[in-house]
Amino acid sequence: MTSGNGQSLALMVFLAFVTVSLLLCGLAAADLDDPEHFYAGGSAAFGPVAAGLAICGDYVSAATLLSTTGAVALDGMDGILFACATVASLYLVMRVVGERLRGAGVFTLGDFVARRLGDPRAGRALAVATLAVLAPLLLVQLSTAGHILVAMLGLPEGARTGCTVASGLLMVCFAALGGMRGTGYVQILKVGVVLAALLLVAGLVLARYGWSPTALFGAARDRSEAGGDYALPGLHFGHSAVGALDLLSFCVTLLLGAACLPHLTMRLHPLRDARTARKAAGWAVGPIALVCLAVVVAGLGAGALVGRDAVRAADPSGSTALLMVTSALDPETGGPRHSMLFALVACAVFATTLAAVAGITLAAASSLVRDCARPSGDASTVRSRAAEIRRARGGVLLVGATAVLLAVLLEDRGRLTLISTSLAVAASVLAPILLYALFLPGFSATGARWAMRGTLPLIIVLMAASPAVSGTPIALFPDRDFHWFPLQTPGLLTIPVGFLLGLVGRTRGTHRGVTWTPEEASVR
């Protein structure tokens, strides 16, 4: 793996990925003549295989690759639990609500809930929560894309701003040009690239230890200097009662929050029938299980080959662990940028972030256009369809420009804080509204508004007062300490509050009836 020029390989793979992605989006753009095609890819969007792989691609993010690898390297069993919760979350959404989220003419989560409850006010409540979930994720993905592009191409650190802007321009092109179908093609391509890179790294790590997972885990534990604690839950948050509650809070938040991410549920609406949804579940969960298994092996490899202290010294959150283990596996004399393995893995991470920001941008713009400002007039006319496509693309440009500006200002600060906030909002606001709308008779738009208006401010207050913002090395303000709330993730408190407020609000609102088509009635 040490022969050749890593930077040349990185440039070639990068240009090949971008070129093929733009070509696929351009091919998809030929059919984008009405909102059905732009938002859902058309009535015959994807079969079960392509749909499942596209869902898997939307689900895999930079946090899945970088943060989870770092968590395994630094915290052992805690990181493995995070990886398991990631797989379980996707299985949960595909098996429990995947079939029920289908619907003709349904393009966003707000569309679905508004139609389910027969009240457009529910859609507007969902729009606020949707943007609160997607905005932090988008900032994290963009800042990561800029950082990885700098490392991959061997550019000076001062080029990060330009790389972030370039990544933003690409994501706007993907989302505005290709719509749901084009970004779906990009996600499928990304899954192939990521699986190839991660399985190669995992295979090389296991080969170092005689293909013995036990020997690998033992080596990682020995170099962790944590002794037996490395093999027990609680190393990340501490073994106190507060630490145990924090671990439980994070796992529950990850399980529920990741299952309700709007850019993921948006992929489920166009599925043709229940049979397609069931088959797509296997094609979505299977690859993500392989990805998380490879991430666990890579994380243990980083702990064993690099060492816990070296990983923590490079980044207190461990986000560089994946790239560090590739350098250890392929130690080029010219440094990691000359390593072929480093180039391949960096390209896979960049492809992940680029495809993720395209999908998130499309979902945010769709919610902004359809749920926050629903167009008036007859949507069945050619003129109104064309107008909505223009509004949707304008929404993509607006979301993209705003995200790029904020990502440049934020740089790498508070990545874990932003991810925790996003997951907390998804688990505490979107999950109660969605589950109540699906399974609780008589749930109303009033209940949705109560859940959103009461829980969202609580999350913001508790996150601001938590160790995720101040008082720890990985906090947004590591040099200051003004926290008074003990948990880094407030989901253990805010999730029950969200469900309770939705239930109380239901009793104070009236439920409007809605007419269902035969197909929708069968799903219900």
Side-chain angles (χ1 to χ4, degrees):
M1 293 296 296
T2 58
S3 61
N5 190 315
Q7 284 186 241
S8 298
L9 175 65
L11 183 60
M12 287 189 294
V13 175
F14 166 70
L15 291 177
F17 178 83
V18 171
T19 301
V20 173
S21 298
L22 288 173
L23 177 62
L24 292 174
C25 289
L27 293 174
D31 293 329
L32 300 183
D33 54 357
D34 61 51
E36 177 74 24
H37 288 274
F38 185 85
Y39 293 118
S43 58
F46 286 141
V49 177
L53 292 176
I55 290 168
C56 175
D58 264 314
Y59 193 69
V60 175
S61 66
T64 308
L65 302 186
L66 302 180
S67 297
T68 307
T69 304
V72 174
L74 295 176
D75 305 312
M77 187 56 65
D78 282 357
I80 295 174
L81 288 176
F82 301 160
C84 291
T86 300
V87 179
S89 181
L90 184 59
Y91 180 82
L92 178 70
V93 68
M94 295 302 297
R95 300 301 296 179
V96 176
V97 301
E99 295 181 27
R100 295 174 178 268
L101 285 176
R102 296 184 299 105
V106 174
F107 306 137
T108 66
L109 200 56
D111 273 347
F112 178 82
V113 173
R115 171 181 259 181
R116 187 80 179 183
L117 302 183
D119 192 334
R121 296 176 299 172
R124 287 190 284 271
L126 261 293
V128 175
T130 294
L131 294 176
V133 169
L134 295 179
L137 288 181
L138 189 53
L139 297 181
V140 171
Q141 301 293 330
L142 267 179
S143 62
T144 302
H147 179 75
I148 292 296
L149 193 57
V150 166
M152 182 175 63
L153 300 180
L155 301 174
E157 193 65 23
R160 183 184 299 181
T161 297
C163 290
T164 301
V165 174
S167 302
L169 290 175
L170 285 173
M171 81 171 178
V172 168
C173 290
F174 291 162
L177 184 63
M180 177 61 82
R181 183 180 295 182
T183 56
Y185 291 148
V186 175
Q187 300 295 356
I188 294 170
L189 179 63
K190 176 186 88 174
V191 170
V193 173
V194 169
L195 273 176
L198 287 181
L199 291 178
L200 176 60
V201 171
L204 291 173
V205 168
L206 286 173
R208 288 286 186 99
Y209 295 92
W211 299 95
S212 171
T214 303
L216 171 62
F217 188 87
R221 180 190 57 204
D222 293 341
R223 291 205 64 182
S224 70
E225 299 183 4
D229 288 345
Y230 191 80
L232 297 175
L235 184 59
H236 180 79
F237 296 103
H239 293 286
S240 64
V242 173
L245 290 175
D246 219 346
L247 176 61
L248 177 63
S249 181
F250 183 82
C251 288
V252 173
T253 302
L254 176 59
L255 183 66
L256 282 179
C260 297
L261 294 175
H263 60 292
L264 174 64
T265 59
M266 193 175 177
R267 289 274 170 207
L268 301 172
H269 304 316
L271 295 178
R272 291 191 293 262
D273 49 46
R275 183 170 177 269
T276 301
R278 286 191 294 270
K279 287 189 174 183
W283 286 100
V285 177
I288 196 65
L290 282 176
V291 167
C292 287
L293 180 61
V295 160
V296 168
V297 173
L300 292 174
L305 297 173
V306 180
R308 186 168 180 250
D309 290 342
V311 172
R312 191 182 297 279
D315 186 337
S317 66
S319 295
T320 60
L322 180 58
L323 298 180
M324 292 179 74
V325 73
T326 63
S327 299
L329 291 168
D330 187 18
E332 263 286 357
T333 55
R337 290 171 181 171
H338 294 273
S339 163
M340 303 288 278
L341 182 62
F342 182 91
L344 180 60
V345 172
C347 283
V349 175
F350 181 74
T352 298
T353 57
L354 194 59
V357 294
I360 295 171
T361 300
L362 180 61
S366 300
S367 183
L368 188 67
V369 171
R370 291 192 59 82
D371 301 329
C372 291
R374 293 179 179 270
S376 60
D378 184 3
S380 66
T381 65
V382 175
R383 182 176 180 181
S384 63
R385 289 200 301 267
E388 180 155 0
I389 293 296
R390 289 195 298 271
R391 282 193 293 269
R393 286 178 169 149
V396 169
L397 291 174
L398 176 61
V399 170
T402 304
V404 168
L405 177 62
L406 293 177
V408 168
L409 294 175
L410 190 64
E411 294 184 338
D412 281 340
R413 297 183 62 185
R415 289 192 304 267
L416 295 181
T417 304
L418 291 173
I419 293 172
S420 297
T421 302
S422 177
L423 291 174
V425 176
S428 307
V429 180
L430 294 185
I433 294 174
L434 180 58
L435 293 176
Y436 280 155
L438 286 171
F439 301 110
L440 182 64
F443 184 66
S444 66
T446 303
R449 294 200 307 275
W450 273 55
M452 188 276 294
R453 293 175 180 174
T455 313
L456 187 57
L458 178 63
I459 293 171
I460 295 173
V461 170
L462 293 182
M463 284 300 303
S466 75
V469 172
S470 68
T472 63
I474 60 175
L476 182 62
F477 301 104
D479 298 328
R480 304 183 62 184
D481 188 359
F482 49 81
H483 82 276
W484 50 264
F485 184 69
L487 304 182
Q488 295 184 39
T489 307
L492 204 60
L493 177 61
T494 58
I495 292 173
V497 168
F499 277 97
L500 179 61
L501 288 176
L503 195 61
V504 172
R506 166 193 174 238
T507 64
R508 296 178 177 272
T510 57
H511 178 70
R512 301 182 185 180
V514 60
T515 303
W516 299 86
T517 65
E519 181 186 2
E520 292 166 337
S522 67
V523 175
R524 188 183 185 192

